[in-house]
Amino acid sequence: MERILIAEDDKKIAQLEQDYLEISGFETMIVGDGAQVIPALKEQSFQLVLLDVMLPNMSGYDICRRIRDEIDIPILMVTARTESVDVIRGLGLGADDYITKPFDPSQLVARVRSHLKRYQRLTAHREQDGEIDRIQIQDLVVEPKT
């Protein structure tokens, strides 16, 4: 079962995202503080991150940058910040998609599925080419290049 990390400090929105994703067959975990995101990603195996921009203790932009530097995982920003500069900044820092609030939960699930399929296709090509950067099985992480 694919696992999604939901980084959202608004409990109602986090619960809505969790409910729709779990009904659609995903396993989820919610963190409400920006400082919890990177440790959660390093401690457990997730296949995608839903990331709010305005989190306490660390902005979604800073988290996105750190994830891109350290972990290969799809990132979907889900945020109330709708200005073009915010969208451009989020995508420029490495987010794979930028979804503005309010959003249709069914479309959120469709985007999650789409990004997971795309990521799986890309990583399958890398594995076929012998370019495996990181293998993670539960808590065990193997980086063949290092």
Side-chain angles (χ1 to χ4, degrees), residues 8 12-14 16-18 20 50 77-80 99-109 111:
E8 172 65 63
K12 288 181 181 178
I13 292 174
L16 177 71
E17 292 171 346
Q18 183 176 49
Y20 270 82
L50 292 179
M77 289 191 144
V78 182
T79 180
I99 303 164
T100 57
K101 298 174 188 174
F103 57 87
D104 177 342
S106 299
Q107 285 185 20
L108 175 75
V109 171
R111 287 177 187 235

Side-chain angles (χ1 to χ4, degrees), residues 43-62:
E43 292 169 8
Q44 299 182 42
S45 177
F46 293 96
Q47 285 68 52
L48 185 137
V49 179
L50 292 179
L51 180 62
D52 186 16
V53 171
M54 297 178 287
L55 291 168
N57 296 317
M58 187 177 218
S59 84
Y61 295 127
D62 293 334

Side-chain angles (χ1 to χ4, degrees), residues 4-51:
I4 311 297
L5 180 63
I6 300 169
E8 172 65 63
D9 63 328
D10 184 318
K11 290 180 180 163
K12 288 181 181 178
I13 292 174
Q15 190 63 55
L16 177 71
E17 292 171 346
Q18 183 176 49
D19 290 347
Y20 270 82
L21 288 166
E22 289 184 354
I23 287 169
S24 300
F26 297 102
E27 189 177 320
T28 63
M29 179 177 146
I30 298 172
V31 295
D33 187 304
Q36 297 172 322
V37 177
I38 301 297
L41 288 171
K42 289 184 175 183
E43 292 169 8
Q44 299 182 42
S45 177
F46 293 96
Q47 285 68 52
L48 185 137
V49 179
L50 292 179
L51 180 62

Side-chain angles (χ1 to χ4, degrees), residues 58-69:
M58 187 177 218
S59 84
Y61 295 127
D62 293 334
I63 295 166
C64 184
R65 184 180 302 113
R66 286 206 44 210
I67 292 171
R68 278 293 162 250
D69 289 343

